[in-house]
């Protein structure tokens, strides 16, 4: 009863488990079977019983189904047995037919296999052709690259590499040979960079060696152009009646020939004009610039080029220690610098960005400071004015050449003004030697002339005017000695030499006039005056020579106005201009005359002392014998000859500075300072000067100073005549 009571609840659960086992996949039966053991006690036994009942049920159903289909199965076996014979016959026929087909298809199979093989080969050939057509341009371009490398066409080779990398290699990148090519391109690029850099270094070395030749050619062309321009300007000055002596001493009638000669030189040199491209092959720098630009290293190349050129600039700017000894040293220095900057200017204009105007200006300013320092230092050692003048000409050509290339050169012209002062000093030293030589060679005697030709020669050298001398017959003598015309000529030569330095300095005529007058004043007041004073103090210069020196200085003083006219003719600047500097000849020669007069006084006293000291006195004489001593007679004769020499001195200015009122008032007094001046002698001299002054100065009545001087002379003459008449009456 207990079992029957539990059955109703357990049966449905066992059925459900059996249904799941029958309907579930075998892999999932495990969990279902596990539930049999997890339920109620004795559930396994009950489940097995239920399973046995289910199996018996299915066996019965299978038996029923087999019984139902058994007759059909028997019928089917019977039918199969009936067709067995026919199947065997059919098999034999099929086997025979298959054999016959196999025998017949063997040849077809062979031909088909041949066709298949040919089709495969054809397909492979087509593929190969397609691939080769894809690879051939790559190989051709690479072969072209090799040829360009062999021909040193490196920039084209780089462009070919770019085409290979961007266009050709991507098409065949899967092939090994392409990978090898790709790996080789960086090596080729590096090789090109090294070769290009080597070419650039060779180029830099080449222009360093040829800088002087480049500079020499550029300076020569600039000088030729300037020569032509100056000649043309002089020709224009002649046409318009302007002064032509500013920069040269060529007479007007020769300017036509000068211009013609300049034009002929221009024509001759026109075919020989060389440019910087003719002297230097710039292709390496262009090629290297393009190569580095193509490689993306343009900035690296620019920095390297500028760095190397700055190093070369420092080397070029270093002057030789003995550069100041010859003009060739300066010329070589300038040509190298010009060559350097001509190359840089060319690079500036034919390349883009390699050098810039700011870079060249910075380089030029650095170089200019160094150049000025070098020239200032070396020029200070120059003692030859000709060398200083050649240096100045080189600096002018150097400045004009670089100015033509756009470089500022104002500081160079400022330097020239410093060198001009040094040039003036060297000229003064040179002319000091010239003056000393002239004084040494002079005989300090009036210049004799035997005929008119000699007279004209002297007049052509020195502006001497004397109506009385012109009326005299030959032979006759000029009052001055031979040194006077020589000194006058040398002063003019000094002016010419000073003028040479002002050529091409772009200065106005007023500035040139002022410079010439100041230089001439220095020559007169310092150099010539010093030479005269040294000459006067020399022991071998006697009284006669001193008198002649006084006469010479008088005529040189009178010639100063002609020197002023000479400078005016050169510069075309009137002497009446407010700021015109006047020549100091009056003070210069006046000082020399005073020194000579003082030396005459000293030597005369010494000579008198010598006469007195050498006298043989008779101290035992009891009474005078009525005769003068011999030494006294010699002294009187000596003084007579000396005073005869003194008569050649110009005494107008000497007498004019005397205090005549004091002379007339003190005359006859024992303490009179003019005791030794005889009134008759003074009257004779003044009357002679009065007549001479009236003859030589016919326009004196129009000048107040001359009128006052003439009145003073007339007044003094009247007073002296009264004194002389009184003395005669008293006698």
């Amino acid at each position: 009863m207990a079992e029957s009571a539990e059955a109703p609840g357990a049966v449905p659960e066992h059925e459900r488990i059996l249904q799941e086992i029958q309907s579930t996949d075998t892999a999932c039966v495990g969990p279902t079977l596990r539930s049999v053991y997890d339920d109620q006690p004795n559930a396994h036994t009950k489940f097995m019983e239920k399973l046995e009942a289910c199996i018996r049920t299915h066996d019965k159903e299978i038996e029923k189904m087999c019984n139902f289909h058994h007759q059909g199965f028997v019928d089917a076996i019977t039918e199969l047995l009936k067709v067995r014979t026919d199947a065997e016959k059919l098999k034999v026929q099929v086997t025979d037919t298959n054999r016959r087909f196999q025998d017949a298809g063997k040849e077809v199979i062979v031909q088909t296999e041949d066709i298949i093989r040919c089709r495969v080969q054809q397909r492979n050939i087509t593929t190969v052709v397609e691939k080769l057509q894809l690879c051939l341009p790559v190989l051709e371009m690479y072969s072209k690259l090799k040829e360009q490398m062999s021909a040193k066409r490196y920039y084209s080779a780089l462009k070919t590499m770019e085409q290979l990398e961007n266009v050709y290699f991507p098409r065949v990148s899967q092939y090994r040979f392409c990978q090898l090519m790709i790996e080789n391109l960086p090596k080729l690029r590096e090789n090109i960079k090294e070769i290009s850099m080597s070419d650039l270094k060779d180029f830099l070395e080449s222009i360093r060696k040829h800088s002087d030749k480049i500079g020499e050619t550029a300076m020569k062309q600039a000088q030729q152009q300037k020569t032509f321009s100056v000649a043309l300007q002089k020709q224009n000055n002649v046409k318009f009646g302007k002064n032509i002596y500013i920069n040269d001493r060529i007479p007007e009638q020769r300017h036509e020939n000068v211009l013609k000669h300049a034009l002929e030189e221009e024509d001759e040199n026109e075919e020989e004009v060389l440019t910087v491209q003719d002297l230097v092959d710039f292709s390496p720098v262009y090629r290297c610039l393009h190569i580095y630009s193509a490689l993306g290293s343009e900035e690296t190349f620019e920095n390297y080029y500028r760095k190397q050129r700055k190093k070369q600039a420092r080397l070029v700017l270093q002057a030789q220690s003995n550069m100041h000894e010859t003009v060739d040293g300066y010329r070589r220095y300038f040509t190298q610098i010009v060559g350097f900057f001509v190359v840089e200017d060319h690079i500036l204009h034919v390349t883009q960005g390699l050098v810039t105007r700011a870079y060249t200006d910075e380089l030029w300013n650095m170089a200019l400071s160094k150049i000025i320092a070098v020239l200032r230092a070396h020029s200070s050692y120059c003692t030859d004015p000709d060398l200083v003048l050649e240096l100045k000409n080189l600096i002018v050509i150097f400045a004009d050449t670089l100015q033509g290339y756009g470089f500022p050169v104002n500081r160079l012209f400022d330097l020239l003004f410093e060198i001009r002062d040094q040039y003036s000093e060297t000229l003064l030293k040179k002319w000091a030697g010239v003056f000393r030589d002239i004084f040494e060679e002079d005989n300090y005697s009036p210049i004799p002339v035997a005929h008119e030709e000699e007279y004209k020669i002297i007049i052509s050298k020195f502006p001497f005017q004397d109506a009385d001398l012109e009326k005299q017959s030959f032979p006759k003598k000029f009052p001055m000695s031979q040194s006077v015309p020589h000194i006058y000529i040398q002063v003019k030569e000094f002016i010419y030499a000073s003028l040479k330095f002002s050529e091409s300095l772009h200065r106005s005529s007023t500035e040139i006039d002022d410079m010439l007058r100041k230089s001439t004043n220095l020559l007169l007041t310092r150099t010539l005056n010093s030479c005269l004073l040294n000459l006067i103090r020399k022991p071998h210069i006697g009284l006669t020579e001193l008198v002649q020196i006084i006469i010479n200085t008088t005529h040189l003083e009178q010639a100063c106005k002609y020197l002023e006219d000479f400078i005016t003719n050169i510069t075309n600047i009137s002497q009446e201009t407010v700021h015109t500097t006047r020549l100091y000849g009056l003070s210069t020669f006046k000082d020399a005359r005073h020194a000579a007069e003082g030396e005459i006084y000293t030597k005369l006293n010494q000579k008198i002392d010598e006469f007195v000291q050498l006298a043989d006195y008779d101290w035992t004489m009891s009474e005078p014998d009525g005769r003068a001593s011999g030494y006294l007679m010699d002294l009187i004769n000596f003084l007579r000859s000396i005073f005869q020499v003194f008569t050649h001195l110009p005494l107008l200015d000497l007498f004019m500075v005397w205090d005549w009122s004091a002379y007339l008032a003190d005359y006859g007094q024992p303490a009179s300072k003019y005791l030794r001046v005889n009134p008759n002698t003074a009257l004779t001299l003044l009357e002679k000067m009065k007549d001479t002054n009236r003859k030589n100065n016919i326009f004196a009545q129009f000048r107040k100073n001359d009128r006052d001087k003439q009145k003073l002379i007339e007044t003094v003459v009247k007073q002296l005549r009264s004194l002389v008449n009184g003395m005669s009456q008293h006698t």
Side-chain angles (χ1 to χ4, degrees):
M1 292 299 291
E3 294 178 356
S4 61
E6 295 176 357
V11 171
E13 180 63 22
H14 293 160
E15 290 180 354
R16 183 185 64 77
I17 293 173
L18 289 175
Q19 288 176 359
E20 287 184 3
I21 293 173
Q22 292 176 14
S23 61
T24 304
D25 189 7
T26 305
C28 299
V29 174
T32 304
L33 293 176
R34 191 180 297 112
S35 63
V36 175
Y37 296 94
D38 295 338
D39 291 340
Q40 302 173 0
N42 300 322
H44 175 263
T45 304
K46 295 176 181 180
F47 175 73
M48 293 300 295
E49 292 176 355
K50 191 64 180 177
L51 180 61
E52 289 291 341
C54 183
I55 293 173
R56 286 193 298 269
T57 302
H58 283 297
D59 287 341
K60 290 178 180 180
E61 289 178 357
I62 293 173
E63 185 178 357
K64 288 179 182 180
M65 187 176 293
C66 288
N67 292 331
F68 178 78
H69 293 289
H70 177 72
Q71 187 61 40
F73 176 73
V74 172
D75 293 339
I77 292 299
T78 304
E79 289 294 327
L80 286 173
L81 292 174
K82 290 180 180 179
V83 298
R84 180 177 182 180
T85 305
D86 295 332
E88 292 178 352
K89 293 180 181 179
L90 180 61
K91 179 180 178 181
V92 172
Q93 291 177 357
V94 170
T95 302
D96 184 57
T97 302
N98 179 58
R99 182 182 54 77
R100 290 197 303 269
F101 271 111
Q102 290 293 334
D103 294 338
K106 286 181 180 179
E107 185 177 354
V108 175
I109 290 173
V110 172
Q111 293 178 354
T112 302
E113 290 177 352
D114 291 340
I115 291 174
I116 293 172
R117 187 168 54 253
C118 290
R119 291 291 176 86
V120 172
Q121 292 177 350
Q122 184 180 8
R123 185 176 67 248
N124 292 339
I125 291 172
T126 302
T127 302
V128 170
V129 170
E130 292 176 354
K131 298 302 181 182
L132 286 176
Q133 288 177 344
L134 192 63
C135 294
L136 278 177
V138 179
L139 297 174
E140 290 175 354
M141 289 296 291
Y142 197 80
S143 176
K144 180 181 178 181
L145 173 62
K146 290 294 187 180
E147 292 177 357
Q148 290 170 340
M149 291 292 293
S150 300
K152 297 183 179 180
R153 297 166 53 199
Y154 300 118
Y155 182 73
S156 300
L158 289 174
K159 291 300 182 182
T160 303
M161 290 183 194
E162 291 182 3
Q163 290 181 340
L164 283 171
E165 290 178 326
N166 298 329
V167 179
Y168 294 95
F169 283 167
R171 301 175 184 174
V172 294
S173 59
Q174 67 274 21
Y175 300 112
R176 179 174 173 77
F177 78 89
C178 179
Q179 295 299 323
L180 294 175
M181 291 180 180
I182 293 174
E183 294 174 359
N184 195 37
L185 289 188
K187 299 178 182 178
L188 292 177
R189 283 195 174 94
E190 192 63 28
N191 189 24
I192 290 175
K193 286 182 68 174
E194 293 176 358
I195 295 174
S196 300
M197 185 57 67
S198 177
D199 291 344
L200 177 64
K201 292 178 180 178
D202 293 340
F203 166 78
L204 293 175
E205 181 64 20
S206 174
I207 60 175
R208 188 187 68 81
K209 293 180 179 179
H210 293 86
S211 289
D212 54 348
K213 182 63 177 178
I214 298 171
E216 181 182 356
T217 302
M219 292 177 69
K220 182 178 180 181
Q221 293 172 359
Q223 188 174 14
Q224 290 173 350
Q225 180 64 32
K226 185 174 182 179
T227 301
F228 176 76
S229 300
V230 170
L232 186 62
Q233 181 182 3
K234 291 177 181 177
Q235 178 66 18
N236 293 334
N237 288 339
V238 172
K239 290 182 179 179
F240 292 100
K242 296 182 180 179
N243 182 33
I244 60 172
Y245 290 97
I246 293 298
N247 292 325
D248 207 342
R249 286 188 280 174
I250 302 176
E252 293 184 7
Q253 59 267 24
R254 292 182 57 196
H255 278 289
E256 293 285 347
N257 296 333
V258 172
L259 180 60
K260 182 178 179 182
H261 181 66
L263 291 173
E264 290 176 353
E265 287 187 350
E266 184 81 9
D267 294 337
E268 291 176 358
N269 295 324
E270 186 173 1
E271 297 180 356
E272 303 176 359
V273 173
L274 297 177
T275 62
V276 65
Q277 297 95 321
D278 298 326
L279 299 174
V280 178
D281 179 17
F282 285 91
S283 59
V285 71
Y286 304 151
R287 186 165 54 248
C288 196
L289 175 61
H290 291 160
I291 288 171
Y292 272 76
S293 299
L295 293 173
S297 302
E298 184 175 2
E299 185 176 356
T300 301
F301 174 74
E302 291 175 1
N303 294 334
Y304 177 81
Y305 176 84
R306 295 181 184 183
K307 181 180 179 181
Q308 294 301 316
R309 288 297 280 166
K310 284 184 178 180
K311 288 183 179 179
Q312 289 188 343
R314 294 187 184 96
L315 291 176
V316 167
L317 293 172
Q318 290 179 356
Q320 298 292 329
S321 58
N322 60 344
M323 183 178 73
H324 60 276
E325 296 179 358
T326 62
V327 70
D328 291 335
Y330 287 108
R331 182 179 290 109
R332 191 179 306 108
Y333 181 70
F334 286 130
T335 54
Q336 288 180 348
I337 297 174
V338 170
F340 178 89
F341 282 100
V342 167
V343 170
E344 289 304 288
D345 181 77
H346 180 76
I347 295 294
L348 172 67
H349 287 89
V350 299
T351 61
Q352 294 181 351
L354 180 55
V355 296
T356 61
R357 175 56 68 182
Y359 162 78
T360 55
D361 289 343
E362 178 187 359
L363 197 62
W364 168 245
N365 290 330
M366 180 273 292
L368 188 58
S369 299
K370 180 67 175 178
I371 292 168
I372 291 175
V374 168
L375 292 179
R376 186 178 284 128
H378 282 266
S379 62
S380 62
Y381 297 107
C382 294
T383 58
D384 183 7
D386 294 333
L387 179 59
V388 178
L389 183 62
E390 291 186 13
L391 172 60
K392 167 259 174 182
N393 293 332
L394 284 175
I395 294 176
V396 170
I397 298 173
F398 173 75
D400 290 342
T401 303
L402 289 175
Q403 190 175 36
Y405 286 92
F407 295 99
V409 295
N410 293 334
R411 293 174 61 189
L412 285 174
F413 284 100
D414 294 338
L415 174 66
L416 283 174
F417 289 109
E418 299 179 21
I419 298 178
R420 184 187 66 182
D421 296 336
Q422 180 183 353
Y423 176 70
S424 298
E425 290 297 324
T426 57
L427 281 182
L428 292 174
K429 292 179 181 178
K430 178 180 179 180
W431 255 258
V434 171
F435 290 152
R436 285 194 295 268
D437 293 340
I438 291 175
F439 290 143
E440 289 293 335
E441 296 172 359
D442 193 11
N443 57 6
Y444 299 98
S445 300
I447 303 174
V449 287
H451 45 77
E452 187 173 358
E453 287 73 14
E454 292 183 355
Y455 183 85
K456 290 182 178 179
I457 291 175
I458 300 298
I459 294 300
S460 65
K461 294 180 180 179
F462 183 76
F464 180 82
Q465 294 179 358
D466 190 338
D468 294 336
L469 183 62
E470 291 180 359
K471 294 177 182 178
Q472 295 178 13
S473 60
F474 292 99
K476 50 188 175 182
K477 295 181 179 181
F478 284 94
M480 66 280 189
S481 66
Q482 192 67 43
S483 63
V484 172
H486 290 169
I487 292 291
Y488 182 79
I489 292 173
Q490 287 302 319
V491 172
K492 292 174 67 176
E493 290 297 325
F494 176 87
I495 295 174
Y496 278 132
S498 299
L499 179 64
K500 287 181 180 179
F501 198 91
S502 300
E503 296 176 3
S504 308
L505 292 186
H506 313 296
R507 294 291 149 181
S508 64
S509 298
T510 303
E511 292 175 304
I512 296 176
D513 181 86
D514 184 67
M515 183 274 294
L516 290 179
R517 292 179 185 274
K518 289 181 178 179
S519 299
T520 306
N521 277 331
L522 283 176
L523 179 72
L524 296 176
T525 59
R526 195 170 79 183
T527 305
L528 182 56
N529 188 43
S530 176
C531 291
L532 282 170
L533 294 178
N534 291 334
L535 174 67
I536 290 169
R537 297 188 183 100
K538 287 186 176 182
H540 70 275
I541 297 296
L543 293 171
T544 304
E545 288 82 359
L546 290 171
V547 170
Q548 187 62 54
I549 290 173
I550 293 175
I551 297 173
N552 291 349
T553 56
T554 302
H555 290 286
L556 287 173
E557 178 183 334
Q558 294 172 355
C560 283
K561 64 178 181 179
Y562 296 100
L563 291 175
E564 289 189 339
D565 294 339
F566 176 72
I567 296 176
T568 299
N569 186 44
I570 292 176
T571 61
N572 203 26
I573 300 298
S574 174
Q575 300 180 33
E576 282 72 24
T577 304
V578 177
H579 301 290
T580 300
T581 304
R582 304 307 296 268
L583 297 184
Y584 303 145
L586 179 62
S587 60
T588 299
F589 299 115
K590 184 177 180 180
D591 293 342
R593 281 198 299 274
H594 287 170
E597 291 169 359
E599 196 68 20
I600 288 175
Y601 179 78
T602 300
K603 289 183 179 297
L604 186 59
N605 285 336
Q606 291 176 350
K607 197 68 176 177
I608 293 174
D609 290 342
E610 290 177 3
F611 274 104
V612 174
Q613 292 173 1
L614 296 176
D616 185 13
Y617 297 100
D618 186 4
W619 300 104
T620 61
M621 183 180 295
S622 58
E623 60 181 16
D625 57 2
R627 292 182 295 106
S629 301
Y631 79 92
L632 190 59
M633 297 302 298
D634 294 337
L635 176 60
I636 292 174
N637 293 331
F638 167 74
L639 292 176
R640 182 180 291 110
S641 63
I642 290 299
F643 291 151
Q644 184 65 32
V645 173
F646 288 169
T647 59
H648 299 291
L649 293 173
L651 299 167
L652 176 59
D653 290 338
L654 178 64
F655 274 73
M656 291 303 298
V657 298
W658 279 10
D659 187 354
W660 286 103
S661 60
Y663 169 74
L664 294 172
D666 293 345
Y667 178 75
Q669 301 297 328
S672 175
K673 60 181 179 179
Y674 303 110
L675 184 63
R676 295 183 178 84
V677 179
N678 191 306
N680 288 312
T681 304
L683 178 62
T684 303
L685 289 174
L686 284 176
E687 287 180 341
K688 183 177 181 181
M689 287 187 293
K690 177 182 175 182
D691 296 337
T692 303
N693 192 44
R694 184 183 296 110
K695 293 178 182 178
N696 295 340
N697 297 278
I698 60 176
F699 298 103
Q701 58 180 333
F702 300 106
R703 295 191 292 270
K704 185 176 183 303
N705 292 337
D706 293 335
R707 292 199 305 270
D708 294 341
K709 188 182 296 184
Q710 191 69 20
K711 288 180 181 179
L712 176 60
I713 294 175
E714 291 176 355
T715 302
V716 174
V717 167
K718 290 180 181 179
Q719 293 175 348
L720 285 174
R721 188 176 290 115
S722 299
L723 180 61
V724 171
N725 292 334
M727 290 173 58
S728 300
Q729 294 176 359
H730 178 72
T731 303

